[in-house]
Amino acid sequence: MSFLISPSIEVFRWSLQPIPPFTWFGSPLNTLDVLGAVRLCLILRQLREQFYRQHVAKNGFRGVEKKSFVKSLAITLTVVCGGEAVAAPMLGIPPSYMISGVVVGLFGIIQAVIDAFPVVPDITAQLELPLSILDGFTRAFLLCDLIPPTVTAHTSPNISNSPWSLLVTSLLMANSGFFFVNMFSMLAPTPFALTTPTELQANGWTTADLWCAPTITALYAFLTHAQPFWADLHALIVTLLGGASSAKTVEAVDPETARAVCALLLCGLFIGRTVKNFDLWKSFIKPQPKVEKSKVQ
């Protein structure tokens, strides 16, 4: 496993270094931030165009609104800021976009560039399969580096030491944005309309993005002992498995290694989702030749 973890650690070290031209203005934006923003803005345009083609093929141009960059940007910022808008008031902290507009500006510029392209590639297996790896790293960065400190560094011990607060915060921050986008049918070419979001429909709980957020954050907290509860749980499990004679011998995993493990798990999860969505698994199953039975006279 170390032959995968070590390169992943180095990828994070390289991609999290602040890069120009952002450093010229004192901004800490890095390669992973930029790639994540490009990925999100691109997939949102791809989904909008996919819904547009489906609507036109079924209903013609009835009810179709004229394309608007402001609407596209509003959808993007709903995804980006929606989680903080929900979770931050519950934690009693100001959302990051109210303190600095750097991230909002980054997504606005990238969305404008992508919307300016005359065409973008369709959503295909050949495109989504390698991007699943990028999704794994960007999601691990979100769930391991960005979300946990909002709870573990909280001024109130009741929140900073609560594993429940950590899991709920991860669930809300990672999923609320897309929840609102789906609830108001923002990606459709027609006016906004209230509908049941995918996450609340039948089997919606099986959506990978929904449950992977608290699961990965819990795994990272468990490995790094981010809160006393996770340290005690780690010690208990190791002791029950016979790996340690006492809880004091159980040490936390360093954050870089824990984050790399989470990234690899997420890469595997998203690759598996792509294989399932595009039925790629069928190409690995060779059809069995039919054997005709001869009639016995």
Side-chain angles (χ1 to χ4, degrees), residues 13-290:
R13 288 176 178 175
W14 168 77
S15 62
L16 293 179
Q17 292 293 324
I19 57 174
F22 307 109
T23 53
W24 302 344
F25 306 98
S27 173
L29 291 176
N30 52 61
T31 303
L32 203 59
D33 290 326
V34 176
L35 292 178
V38 172
R39 165 62 166 159
L40 178 62
C41 294
L42 176 62
I43 191 64
L44 287 176
R45 177 172 173 181
Q46 290 172 320
L47 289 172
R48 288 197 306 270
E49 295 190 353
Q50 178 177 302
F51 284 123
Y52 174 83
R53 290 192 297 267
Q54 292 174 351
H55 178 85
V56 171
K58 184 178 181 180
N59 304 307
F61 294 95
R62 183 180 56 189
V64 174
E65 292 184 323
K66 186 177 180 180
K67 291 184 179 180
S68 166
F69 168 71
V70 176
K71 181 179 179 180
S72 300
L73 181 60
I75 295 172
T76 301
L77 295 183
T78 298
V79 175
V80 175
C81 304
E84 275 195 281
V86 173
M90 297 182 182
L91 296 173
I93 59 176
S96 62
Y97 57 82
M98 294 298 294
I99 299 175
S100 172
V102 172
V103 173
V104 173
L106 174 67
F107 279 91
I109 292 172
I110 293 178
Q111 188 67 67
V113 172
I114 290 181
D115 280 8
F117 290 153
V119 293
V120 293
D122 293 332
I123 301 176
T124 61
Q126 292 77 9
L127 182 63
E128 286 299 305
L129 203 56
L131 288 178
S132 297
I133 299 176
L134 173 63
D135 290 341
F137 279 86
T138 55
R139 192 67 58 86
F141 179 53
L142 172 66
L143 300 177
C144 299
D145 286 274
L146 300 183
I147 293 179
T150 61
V151 174
T152 58
H154 201 279
T155 56
S156 171
N158 291 332
I159 293 178
S160 62
N161 294 326
S162 169
W164 178 249
S165 297
L166 181 64
L167 298 184
V168 171
T169 300
S170 179
L171 177 68
L172 293 176
M173 282 196 172
N175 294 291
S176 294
F178 268 111
F179 184 87
F180 290 132
V181 168
N182 292 330
M183 184 169 64
F184 293 106
S185 304
M186 292 184 176
L187 294 173
T190 52
F192 292 169
L194 190 64
T195 185
T196 304
T198 308
E199 295 84 354
L200 298 184
Q201 295 179 11
N203 298 321
W205 63 271
T206 62
T207 305
D209 296 274
L210 184 65
W211 58 263
C212 79
T215 302
I216 293 299
T217 298
L219 175 60
Y220 179 78
F222 173 80
L223 294 175
T224 60
H225 299 178
Q227 295 171 315
F229 169 83
W230 304 106
D232 295 340
L233 180 62
H234 192 182
L236 175 63
I237 292 176
V238 171
T239 303
L240 291 176
L241 295 177
S245 58
S246 65
K248 294 182 180 179
T249 61
V250 180
E251 297 182 357
V253 178
D254 69 274
E256 284 190 329
T257 301
R259 181 179 58 194
V261 171
C262 293
L264 292 174
L265 290 175
L266 286 168
C267 288
L269 174 66
F270 294 145
I271 289 173
R273 180 179 62 182
T274 301
V275 170
K276 176 181 177 294
N277 290 343
F278 292 94
D279 291 332
L280 298 181
W281 57 272
K282 291 183 179 179
S283 61
F284 298 100
I285 302 178
K286 296 182 180 180
Q288 298 294 330
K290 294 182 180 179

